[in-house]
Amino acid sequence: NNVGNSEHVPREKQPWKYDKENKLQPRALESNGSILYYPVWTKGGYCDNDPFGRPDDDIKLYETVEECCEIATGSDPPDIISPLMKPSNQPSARDFSVEVISTGKEGCPCIDESDVLASLVERSCTTSDGNIGVLGHEGPCVGYSYGSGGCLRHDLIHDPICKLTDSGEADIPNYCFRPWCFVDVTTCKQSSSDRAIRSKYFPRELGTDLFYSYSTCDSTAEDWLIRYQRLTALAGASITTIVPAYTVPLMYKRNPSGDILTSSGSEYYDSSVPFEGVFMIYLEKLMGIADDNFEVTYTFGSQAGRRLHPSSKYTAAIQDIQDGLADLAIGRFWITAERLKMTSFTVPLYYDKTVLTVWVLVITLITATALLSVWFTRYGKKFRQAGRPERQKKGAYARLALDEFLHKGMFFCSAGVGQDEDATLPQKLLMFGFSFFILIVVSAYVANLAAFLTRPVAFDGTIEMVQQSGMRLCAHPALKTEFEIAWPTVNFVFSKSSYVGMLDDYAAGKCDVLAVGEMDIITDVERTSWFCERDLVLTDSLIIE
């Protein structure tokens, strides 16, 4: 930061250093041959860099340490040059930088709105200093001068969050150090490019229409806007959240022995037994992001909702939200037309999809084997010892790598590897591992091919094939409307109960194939076992989206 005519002070040469007693000593800034001192403050004490790691343009400089300490902070020099602990007579953060930085830019000057704040008698309160002030929306009690009097660090002066605690270890938010002021929006819009923002701290519902600006004070509003958004997003609300059913490991409870329960019993209705699972961890992370500005209370679904929607506990949970019994429901919800009429949904956390993991693994292993082959062969060793120019080496290595990649690719496609008695030991070990990988892939391929060829009914795994062959398709009743609209000629079999009823229908031979989502299977251990025991596999055929 430029001070006078001095150059920018690099971070490693900033005017502070540790002495042998682990204390911070002010060294000074040099300007026009003079040594100048300035007061700074962080959570650790005075003798540290200022909150942004450099002196601000608006900080007043002093010719002596004594003058800086006595005039700027009201403390003696021994308290300033001290260990990183708060001195007993250290003033609070609000006592710093209360001087007017500016009155705003010419086209968007600061204005005095203290009379407007004083008129809000219904919001009258007592500030932390014992003075009469006004209560902001979702904020502290502030004085009438808040935002008025020019470009100031108003939050540093008025907001209790910006004050240093007795221990000196407060984490002061960045917005506390940003200067701003109230402005006239009409003037700013007409004569300036500085940003004016309507105040939500004192909303129009109170009979005011105030605007503020950080940019007219050469500052930024981003820190405050982020802070205010977090404060008002949920405003400390307590969110009642329904857990429709147990799905290990997403959401579940434990019995008194600590064992995970996969089906609900009496403990489901016992609020003293906490819910656990991935979704609970997810909401805890959201609470952390929101600075714990809301809390979540988990509860069970009502019997009335399940009576209205006996085929789906999830639709019953949404019914409870519509009836005002809860604010939120978590789980693996399908977004259907019926459910959208009852409530809104978040952005999906997971999409059913087919991942080409096997092919990525094959190509990766072929590439790795090819590169290692270049390195382990005797030719590669001789080439490295040849002393050729670096450019020739890179080109030759690239050609050798491509040749080995094609060579190993042919090995994989032919389900075998070449035998070279003159190969080095590392090369033989590498090819042994590669041949074992080929054996596993070929065995899996042959087993699946045999199962397909011996299948009594030819089926290519698409909804179109089900439609043409007239096969019976078991589906969840919650998706009945969507399925029948999208595929009116498919022979659907909808169970009269929930997801379990659909699986029971398949086990009873009422249908030939099942309409399920990938997440419905892979996130439930027991359900995965049920499908595996019946030799059922997922296809990549999408029915509805």
Side-chain angles (χ1 to χ4, degrees):
N1 196 41
N2 293 327
V3 180
N5 295 326
S6 63
E7 296 296 324
H8 171 71
V9 182
R11 187 171 186 84
E12 64 273 9
K13 297 181 180 180
Q14 288 177 358
W16 305 99
K17 68 176 182 179
Y18 286 97
D19 65 7
K20 293 181 180 180
E21 297 180 2
N22 201 28
K23 300 178 181 179
L24 284 167
Q25 305 285 348
R27 293 186 62 185
L29 291 174
E30 183 175 356
S31 177
N32 296 329
S34 301
I35 304 298
L36 302 177
Y37 300 87
Y38 60 92
V40 293
W41 172 88
T42 62
K43 64 181 180 180
Y46 291 124
C47 297
D48 198 349
N49 281 319
D50 74 303
F52 305 104
R54 60 182 184 276
D56 290 343
D57 290 326
D58 56 273
I59 291 182
K60 186 177 180 179
L61 303 177
Y62 298 88
E63 294 183 356
T64 65
V65 174
E66 290 76 14
E67 184 183 19
C68 173
C69 298
E70 293 174 359
I71 297 178
T73 68
S75 300
D76 295 329
D79 291 327
I80 299 299
I81 306 173
S82 62
L84 293 180
M85 295 296 293
K86 177 188 173 184
S88 60
N89 62 339
Q90 180 176 351
S92 64
R94 60 163 298 191
D95 294 321
F96 288 91
S97 301
V98 297
E99 300 175 354
V100 176
I101 297 172
S102 73
T103 57
K105 297 180 182 177
E106 183 177 354
C108 189
C110 299
I111 62 175
D112 189 346
E113 296 284 16
S114 57
D115 292 340
V116 176
L117 298 187
S119 67
L120 302 176
V121 293
E122 70 278 8
R123 305 284 295 181
S124 180
C125 59
T126 302
T127 66
S128 58
D129 296 332
N131 299 318
I132 302 300
V134 60
L135 189 64
H137 177 61
E138 299 297 339
C141 182
V142 298
Y144 296 143
S145 62
Y146 184 71
S148 300
C151 291
L152 284 165
R153 295 182 174 95
H154 292 283
D155 296 295
L156 192 63
I157 300 171
H158 295 277
D159 195 338
I161 296 178
C162 299
K163 292 184 178 181
L164 192 67
T165 62
D166 292 336
S167 63
E169 297 182 354
D171 188 8
I172 308 301
N174 287 338
Y175 77 89
C176 296
F177 304 98
R178 306 295 188 191
W180 63 276
C181 66
F182 287 126
V183 295
D184 180 69
V185 64
T186 304
T187 302
C188 296
K189 287 168 58 178
Q190 180 179 349
S191 308
S192 174
S193 60
D194 289 301
R195 183 182 180 186
I197 307 171
R198 173 174 275 118
S199 175
K200 296 180 181 178
Y201 209 51
F202 302 103
R204 285 184 288 179
E205 290 78 5
L206 300 177
T208 64
D209 196 13
L210 302 178
F211 291 82
Y212 63 90
S213 176
Y214 279 79
S215 59
T216 194
C217 299
D218 289 322
S219 183
T220 175
E222 296 306 316
D223 293 324
W224 165 250
L225 294 176
I226 293 173
R227 173 77 178 182
Y228 188 77
Q229 182 180 17
R230 290 181 177 179
L231 286 175
T232 57
L234 291 169
S238 177
I239 301 176
T240 303
T241 304
I242 293 179
V243 180
Y246 295 164
T247 305
V248 181
L250 301 181
M251 44 193 184
Y252 56 87
K253 284 188 174 184
R254 297 178 184 268
N255 60 21
S257 302
D259 300 324
I260 295 176
L261 299 173
T262 57
S263 58
S264 59
S266 60
E267 81 292 330
Y268 175 74
Y269 301 96
D270 187 354
S271 299
S272 64
V273 182
F275 283 100
E276 302 178 42
V278 174
F279 284 147
M280 286 67 196
I281 297 174
Y282 180 79
L283 286 178
E284 288 177 4
K285 297 294 184 182
L286 289 182
M287 293 171 62
I289 294 173
D291 295 332
D292 294 327
N293 196 33
F294 68 95
E295 60 180 18
V296 178
T297 302
Y298 297 103
T299 186
F300 48 84
S302 71
Q303 295 291 343
R306 298 191 176 189
R307 183 180 295 272
L308 288 173
H309 305 279
S311 63
S312 174
K313 297 178 181 178
Y314 290 85
T315 305
I318 296 176
Q319 182 68 57
D320 289 343
I321 294 177
Q322 187 183 42
D323 293 344
L325 304 182
D327 308 301
L328 179 72
I330 59 174
R332 304 174 306 183
F333 284 92
W334 291 319
I335 302 176
T336 67
E338 178 189 11
R339 293 172 177 177
L340 280 172
K341 293 177 182 178
M342 301 165 68
T343 189
S344 57
F345 287 77
T346 65
V347 175
L349 304 180
Y350 180 90
Y351 291 94
D352 288 344
K353 58 187 181 295
T354 301
V355 183
L356 301 177
T357 307
V358 174
W359 284 111
V360 171
L361 177 63
V362 168
I363 295 175
T364 301
L365 283 176
I366 291 176
T367 303
T369 304
L371 295 176
L372 291 173
S373 296
V374 173
W375 187 262
F376 288 147
T377 57
R378 289 189 173 90
Y379 296 105
K381 183 177 180 181
K382 292 179 180 179
F383 183 78
R384 291 193 299 273
Q385 297 173 349
R388 296 186 181 182
E390 193 67 27
R391 180 175 298 180
Q392 291 184 8
K393 284 185 178 181
K394 290 181 180 179
Y397 273 131
R399 290 192 297 271
L400 285 174
L402 178 60
D403 179 74
E404 286 294 332
F405 179 82
L406 297 175
H407 197 206
K408 299 303 182 289
M410 288 187 291
F411 283 169
F412 179 81
C413 295
S414 61
V417 295
Q419 299 181 15
D420 185 4
E421 296 181 357
D422 296 329
T424 62
L425 179 60
Q427 177 73 4
K428 291 180 179 179
L429 291 174
L430 177 66
M431 297 310 298
F432 176 80
F434 187 58
S435 62
F436 185 73
F437 171 72
I438 294 176
L439 174 65
I440 294 175
V441 174
V442 171
S443 299
Y445 173 77
V446 172
N448 280 282
L449 179 62
F452 176 79
L453 294 176
T454 57
R455 190 178 180 87
V457 180
F459 177 56
D460 61 5
T462 64
I463 185 64
E464 290 82 4
M465 180 62 184
V466 173
Q467 184 179 38
Q468 294 172 5
S469 63
M471 300 174 70
R472 296 167 298 172
L473 176 60
C474 278
H476 197 288
L479 299 172
K480 182 177 181 180
T481 302
E482 281 72 17
F483 279 160
E484 290 181 341
I485 292 175
W487 304 98
T489 59
V490 171
N491 185 13
F492 287 106
V493 177
F494 297 102
S495 66
K496 295 181 180 180
S497 59
S498 60
Y499 202 101
V500 177
M502 179 181 65
L503 302 182
D504 291 340
D505 287 347
Y506 179 84
K510 296 181 180 180
C511 54
D512 306 300
V513 288
L514 287 156
V516 296
E518 181 181 1
M519 191 177 182
D520 297 325
I521 301 174
I522 64 175
T523 58
D524 191 312
V525 177
E526 289 191 354
R527 195 168 293 171
T528 302
S529 301
W530 190 93
F531 277 81
C532 290
E533 289 171 359
R534 289 159 180 78
D535 296 327
L536 293 173
V537 295
L538 284 168
T539 69
D540 57 359
S541 177
L542 189 64
I543 303 176
I544 58 170
E545 182 176 15

